[in-house]
Amino acid sequence: MRSYFIYSALLFVICGISTGCWNAGAGTKRASREDGPSTVYGINKAEKNPAKTDEVNSVPKTSTSTGFVANLPKGFVEPNDDAGKLLLKEYGSVFIARGGATPPKTVVFRDGGDVAAFQSSLKTSVEKIGDFSLELQASAMESLVKAVSDAHSAGLEIKPRDKDSAKRTYEETIGLWSSRVEPALKHWVTEGKITPEQAERIRSLSPFEQVPEVLRLESQGIFFAKDLSKSIIYSVAPPGASQHLSMLAFDCAEFENPKVREILAKHGWFQTVVSDLPHFTFLGVSEADLSGLGLRKTVSSGRPFWIPDL
Ligand SMILES: [Zn+2]
């Protein structure tokens, strides 16, 4: 009962102070405040509220002008809620993709319709690589095919891990998300860390609405990754936030081979999600240009990852 009270109080506080991609226009049961920008978390930016669409839709001058923020696409909607900001930090490198790539303008797609609209606006191409037919943005695929060819010349292979190693649909990302959330809810109810009512309430939410709820619980040490010891975002991407939806990501079967990683990097494919070892992101530039775009190199598991310098 006491923990429920604390949780409720925390939820109230968080809902009260955050406005942003998960609250704006969500039309949910939460007491979200949608009438103004939040300055609580540092990025002072008016929400992209439909009522304000005439405003200049670009990165605001008031943002902390790191190289990364300055290189976000024109019209990018910077999140100002905790969940959105966390995802920008952890998955955001894709948003500075160049080389003919079209990154999304939001850290999270709201639903399958949003994803389908974005995907259908792209120039894409399909190639059979290894055993699977894969679809990516055209420039990303062109570079991947060159990398595969370079690998062959060096007596190596670059193959997808599975049939969902490139493009994914929103529905596929929901399946992965639920495969982590449901077992974790059961576990934490059994452990007495959340009440059956809380679990039931989270289940009743749309996947989009579940994301900030789950991340809030994680901020209290109630983790949702497969092994329940770390954040779910290091296990699967929240629905709507996967780089695979952008068609600029590729999961490589030969990810442990440093020579393969080098060939992929030479063709603009880099690792950008720390701890997701098979996952490569098309950034479309050479490694020497990444710092200038606001990315910073961090080494984990003996390999470089390029992450937003936020
Ligand atoms: Zn991946």
Side-chain angles (χ1 to χ4, degrees):
M1 192 60 200
R2 186 166 167 270
S3 64
Y4 179 72
F5 174 77
I6 291 169
Y7 170 76
S8 302
L10 188 74
L11 189 62
F12 177 78
V13 168
I14 291 171
C15 286
I17 58 180
S18 56
T19 60
C21 59
W22 261 280
N23 287 339
T28 67
K29 314 131 181 101
R30 291 203 302 279
S32 62
R33 197 186 66 187
E34 297 179 10
D35 56 353
S38 167
T39 54
V40 177
Y41 301 111
I43 296 180
N44 179 9
K45 174 172 167 54
E47 269 177 70
K48 287 297 165 281
N49 174 326
K52 300 177 182 172
T53 46
D54 288 342
E55 287 180 11
V56 178
N57 215 16
S58 61
V59 176
K61 303 272 187 299
T62 49
S63 283
T64 313
S65 192
T66 67
F68 179 73
V69 170
N71 283 290
L72 288 168
K74 194 166 189 299
F76 185 79
V77 182
E78 272 184 62
N80 56 11
D81 63 302
D82 275 0
K85 289 167 78 178
L86 179 67
L87 292 176
L88 184 62
K89 205 170 156 67
E90 300 294 340
Y91 295 156
S93 298
V94 70
F95 298 115
I96 57 86
R98 300 291 194 267
T102 303
K105 290 186 167 52
T106 176
V107 287
V108 61
F109 292 106
R110 179 176 297 273
D111 55 30
D114 266 10
V115 172
F118 174 75
Q119 290 182 342
S120 66
S121 75
L122 301 168
K123 186 167 179 244
T124 66
S125 77
V126 178
E127 294 283 345
K128 183 154 191 284
I129 298 178
D131 293 332
F132 302 106
S133 182
L134 303 182
E135 187 174 9
L136 288 169
Q137 290 198 26
S139 53
M141 183 60 88
E142 193 183 323
S143 296
L144 182 60
V145 167
K146 284 181 188 161
V148 169
S149 166
D150 268 15
H152 285 166
S153 304
L156 299 167
E157 296 220 70
I158 291 179
K159 297 196 303 293
R161 301 186 85 205
D162 210 336
K163 61 180 188 314
D164 68 351
S165 289
K167 174 189 181 178
R168 276 178 206 154
T169 64
Y170 185 70
E171 289 66 31
E172 285 170 316
T173 66
I174 290 176
L176 287 168
W177 172 257
S178 304
S179 74
R180 303 296 192 275
V181 170
E182 184 51 35
L185 286 175
K186 282 195 182 123
H187 172 81
W188 293 120
V189 168
T190 307
E191 293 285 306
K193 298 283 190 187
I194 58 176
T195 66
E197 292 74 26
Q198 275 177 280
E200 220 26 71
R201 197 183 66 79
I202 290 172
R203 287 187 185 102
S204 75
L205 299 173
S206 71
F208 179 84
E209 293 167 325
Q210 282 180 358
V211 175
E213 302 288 325
V214 164
L215 296 182
R216 272 180 206 120
L217 287 172
E218 289 192 334
S219 72
Q220 302 163 49
I222 299 171
F223 292 115
F224 281 68
K226 201 168 197 172
D227 68 3
L228 305 164
S229 73
K230 61 182 179 191
S231 172
I232 190 169
I233 67 169
Y234 304 119
S235 188
V236 298
S242 169
Q243 294 181 350
H244 290 278
L245 298 171
S246 307
M247 302 173 73
L248 294 171
F250 171 67
D251 294 339
C252 179
E254 296 79 12
F255 66 94
E256 290 289 12
N257 186 330
K259 185 69 192 156
V260 163
R261 298 198 296 266
E262 196 181 296
I263 292 170
L264 283 166
K266 189 183 138 203
H267 291 282
W269 285 90
F270 299 93
Q271 296 196 267
T272 69
V273 182
V274 176
S275 89
D276 191 348
L277 301 184
H279 181 95
F280 292 78
T281 311
F282 182 67
L283 299 179
V285 294
S286 68
E287 188 159 9
D289 294 329
L290 293 174
S291 310
L293 290 170
L295 301 188
R296 136 175 101 77
K297 182 156 95 173
T298 181
V299 175
S300 179
S301 304
R303 64 208 73 190
F305 290 83
W306 288 92
I307 59 173
D309 192 10
L310 287 171

